[in-house]
Amino acid sequence: MNEIAFDSRECGSCPIRHRAVCARCESDELERLEEIKFYRTYEAGQPVLWAGDQMEFVASVVQGIASLSQTMEDGRTQMVGLLLPSDFIGRPGRDFAPFDVVAVSDLTICCFRKKPFEALMTSTPRIGARLLEMTLDELDSAREWMLVLGRKTAREKIASLLSILARRDASLRKQAPRDGMSFELPLTREAMADYLGLTLETVSRQISALKKSGVIVLEGKRKVLVPDLEALIDETGDDMDGGLIV
Amino acid sequence: MNEIAFDSRECGSCPIRHRAVCARCESDELERLEEIKFYRTYEAGQPVLWAGDQMEFVASVVQGIASLSQTMEDGRTQMVGLLLPSDFIGRPGRDFAPFDVVAVSDLTICCFRKKPFEALMTSTPRIGARLLEMTLDELDSAREWMLVLGRKTAREKIASLLSILARRDASLRKQAPRDGMSFELPLTREAMADYLGLTLETVSRQISALKKSGVIVLEGKRKVLVPDLEALIDETGDDMDGGLIV
DNA sequence: AGGTCAACTTGATCCTGATCAAGGAAGCGC
DNA sequence: GCGCTTCCTTGATCAGGATCAAGTTGACCT
């Protein structure tokens, strides 16, 4: 996700967050960030914020996965973002949460009170610039996901999600994605369905179908092995190179 | 779209652009923007940029409509954004276009060479801050659209698009959306289909259906009259208040 | 007027994914 | 062990939208 190297020890106990926002920043900025931060943890399934809530902090994901989602009155739900470690929650300059934020797995986030963070942003333009860069990345990701939602078949959708998860999993442990890699599925079938605009039954069926055609191998229900990465990417319908970055 | 009042005469011949980026800025910033800008025009259907193209400028839409879209090898197309007057094209800090940009109607854009614009951004933090704000708005819009693509029925999709177009049309002429308003459809059925993740036949059928149930009245093929705005919004499946802002 | 073309409408049929329904597997407390 | 719950799988059927296929409309040209 974030290419910038930054020695994590210098950042104290919240390395990822600092790497995300303060890349290349000077140490006094780091210290000022240290002063205003605190941690929160949530269990899988717990809400972090409801749409419309007052947000008194911005945060970054340290560990675990959170989701951004919207629900219609009749219960139809669409996940609009998956927040993995190093992703940013909240928006300077905005007071209310636009979407529900829910802990998908056990979750630790590193929070910064919004007011001081905003003050820091105006006094340190680099932070704002970095945030703009991150937001533009997220916007591109959201738009790429619109192709998935609007035009892909169920099978292509599943393959797209798996290939994203595989790549992000690899990059979190700083490896290149490779053949024969395996990773843990952090989402229930229902959460996958909500992300992909499908039902959980269809998700289950398509995973079974990919398994049957040998594109993936399941170890238990939540562990996926990808014997041939290119075969999986083939199933996404994307052209080889471009590829989703989420 | 943009709530900030700014006397357009002060901005020379490109008022919207300046209002979008330079809101509340001082006059010397305006002058510096004047120095590096130029205009381009395109006819309906012409491409502005292909995905992967080098971008040597950023721009804002002055008149007409442009689309952002992605196409798969087999020809499936998904529009991922609709750019109306005052919307921004391009991204400081990025060299290649991530999506195709096409003129949907006759189009005028106001361009700024990227290098000087970026220089201006670092020397004038307010511009960066404004751009961050706009990008966050676009991100929210993109995420709201994901609900439309992933979970809404064809009829709800059409109603959602019409209600957005109605509202943006009203706001462009600085009126509150009201009952009995009518507006021009700037998109072909095919373009609507590409935006909504449908086929053009389904779009046509659902428009006919909405007409038959009296939610809209067609005058010719491209002019829509909305006798009762609330009835249209009802059809979107959204709750009354929140509502899509695109 | 007639011809041409693009945009649109409408009908018939098919198929993907939703829905309804039942049952299996793993974890956990007692 | 047993019951209980949550998550997942699989089957049968249904329906919404895609696809294929004609027509229609209207703008523009000569």
Side-chain angles (χ1 to χ4, degrees):
Chain A
M1 182 89 255
N2 182 2
E3 74 299 341
I4 297 160
F6 200 91
D7 188 308
S8 63
R9 284 166 305 171
E10 290 181 36
C11 296
S13 48
C14 182
I16 297 163
R17 171 74 179 98
H18 290 166
R19 218 176 61 222
V21 172
C22 292
R24 301 196 209 87
C25 62
E26 293 81 52
S27 56
D28 62 324
E29 291 167 19
L30 277 179
E31 273 159 37
R32 276 184 286 163
L33 271 176
E34 290 294 332
E35 286 166 19
I36 61 172
K37 80 176 188 189
F38 57 96
Y39 292 86
R40 293 203 175 167
T41 61
Y42 300 84
E43 290 173 25
Q46 278 190 322
V48 176
L49 285 168
W50 296 117
D53 279 2
Q54 192 84 14
M55 293 189 294
E56 77 276 17
F57 58 84
V58 298
S60 84
V61 176
V62 175
Q63 218 171 58
I65 299 193
S67 68
L68 279 182
S69 55
Q70 301 187 74
T71 302
M72 297 168 68
E73 298 109 278
D74 62 7
R76 281 177 282 174
T77 296
Q78 177 65 52
M79 205 185 287
V80 297
L82 206 53
L83 301 170
L84 304 187
S86 92
D87 284 342
F88 190 74
I89 300 173
R91 30 210 52 204
R94 219 61 64 78
D95 288 332
F96 60 95
F99 305 107
D100 300 334
V101 181
V102 180
V104 168
S105 63
D106 290 349
L107 180 72
T108 305
I109 61 179
C110 175
C111 307
F112 299 81
R113 281 179 297 116
K114 198 150 72 72
K115 277 278 163 49
F117 186 83
E118 284 167 358
L120 195 60
M121 257 187 67
T122 48
S123 69
T124 315
R126 171 133 274 153
I127 295 183
R130 176 70 188 116
L131 214 46
L132 175 57
E133 200 182 320
M134 291 173 70
T135 306
L136 286 168
D137 283 341
E138 273 184 275
L139 182 56
D140 284 349
S141 298
R143 287 176 162 160
E144 286 180 19
W145 202 251
M146 287 170 65
L147 177 66
V148 175
L149 291 176
R151 293 299 183 194
K152 290 196 178 182
T153 65
R155 177 183 258 242
E156 288 169 338
K157 285 177 174 182
I158 297 286
S160 299
L161 178 59
L162 292 179
S163 100
I164 285 170
L165 290 174
R167 267 180 276 185
R168 293 224 28 176
D169 185 83
S171 86
L172 279 183
R173 18 180 151 162
K174 315 197 175 189
Q175 295 178 339
R178 60 183 204 290
D179 290 347
M181 66 185 299
S182 75
F183 62 95
E184 202 72 22
L185 266 183
L187 304 171
T188 64
R189 301 291 186 260
E190 188 180 21
M192 287 190 250
D194 284 344
Y195 199 28
L196 296 167
L198 297 170
T199 58
L200 69 92
E201 293 95 328
T202 300
V203 169
S204 180
R205 270 186 255 273
Q206 294 299 335
I207 287 181
S208 299
L210 286 175
K211 189 176 67 175
K212 194 170 296 176
S213 36
V215 179
I216 59 171
V217 178
L218 285 187
E219 297 168 359
K221 289 170 186 204
R222 292 294 196 91
K223 193 144 193 208
V224 178
L225 190 144
V226 183
D228 176 2
L229 191 57
E230 202 159 306
L232 177 59
I233 294 175
D234 261 347
E235 297 286 347
T236 64
D238 297 326
D239 35 359
M240 232 31 22
D241 46 299
L244 284 162
I245 310 148
V246 174
Chain B
M1 184 92 252
N2 183 1
E3 74 297 344
I4 297 161
F6 200 91
D7 187 308
S8 62
R9 285 166 305 174
E10 292 181 36
C11 295
S13 49
C14 185
I16 297 161
R17 172 72 179 97
H18 290 164
R19 221 178 58 223
V21 171
C22 290
R24 300 196 208 90
C25 62
E26 292 83 51
S27 55
D28 63 323
E29 291 167 15
L30 278 180
E31 273 159 38
R32 276 184 286 165
L33 272 176
E34 289 295 330
E35 286 164 20
I36 61 173
K37 82 177 187 190
F38 57 97
Y39 292 88
R40 294 204 174 167
T41 62
Y42 301 84
E43 289 172 26
Q46 279 191 322
V48 177
L49 284 168
W50 295 116
D53 278 2
Q54 193 85 12
M55 294 188 293
E56 77 276 19
F57 57 83
V58 297
S60 84
V61 176
V62 174
Q63 218 171 55
I65 299 193
S67 69
L68 280 182
S69 57
Q70 300 188 74
T71 302
M72 298 169 69
E73 300 110 279
D74 62 8
R76 281 177 282 174
T77 296
Q78 177 66 51
M79 204 184 286
V80 298
L82 206 51
L83 302 170
L84 304 187
S86 94
D87 283 342
F88 190 75
I89 300 172
R91 29 210 52 201
R94 218 59 67 76
D95 288 332
F96 59 94
F99 305 107
D100 300 334
V101 181
V102 180
V104 168
S105 61
D106 289 350
L107 179 73
T108 305
I109 61 177
C110 175
C111 306
F112 299 80
R113 279 179 298 118
K114 198 150 72 73
K115 277 277 162 54
F117 185 85
E118 283 168 358
L120 194 60
M121 258 187 63
T122 47
S123 69
T124 314
R126 172 133 275 153
I127 296 183
R130 177 70 188 116
L131 214 46
L132 175 58
E133 199 182 319
M134 291 174 69
T135 306
L136 286 168
D137 283 341
E138 275 185 274
L139 181 57
D140 284 350
S141 298
R143 285 177 164 160
E144 286 179 19
W145 201 250
M146 288 171 64
L147 176 67
V148 175
L149 290 175
R151 292 300 183 194
K152 290 195 178 181
T153 64
R155 174 182 259 246
E156 290 168 339
K157 285 177 174 181
I158 297 286
S160 298
L161 178 58
L162 292 180
S163 99
I164 286 170
L165 290 174
R167 268 180 275 186
R168 291 223 31 173
D169 184 82
S171 86
L172 280 183
R173 19 179 154 166
K174 313 196 173 186
Q175 296 178 340
R178 61 183 203 290
D179 289 347
M181 66 185 300
S182 76
F183 61 96
E184 202 73 20
L185 267 183
L187 303 172
T188 65
R189 303 290 186 261
E190 189 180 20
M192 288 189 249
D194 285 344
Y195 198 29
L196 295 166
L198 297 170
T199 59
L200 68 93
E201 293 95 330
T202 300
V203 169
S204 179
R205 270 186 253 273
Q206 295 299 335
I207 287 181
S208 299
L210 286 176
K211 189 176 67 175
K212 195 172 293 176
S213 37
V215 179
I216 58 173
V217 178
L218 285 188
E219 298 169 358
K221 289 171 182 199
R222 289 294 195 92
K223 191 144 194 208
V224 178
L225 190 145
V226 183
D228 177 3
L229 191 58
E230 202 159 303
L232 177 60
I233 295 176
D234 260 347
E235 297 285 347
T236 65
D238 298 327
D239 36 358
M240 233 29 28
D241 46 297
L244 284 163
I245 310 151
V246 174

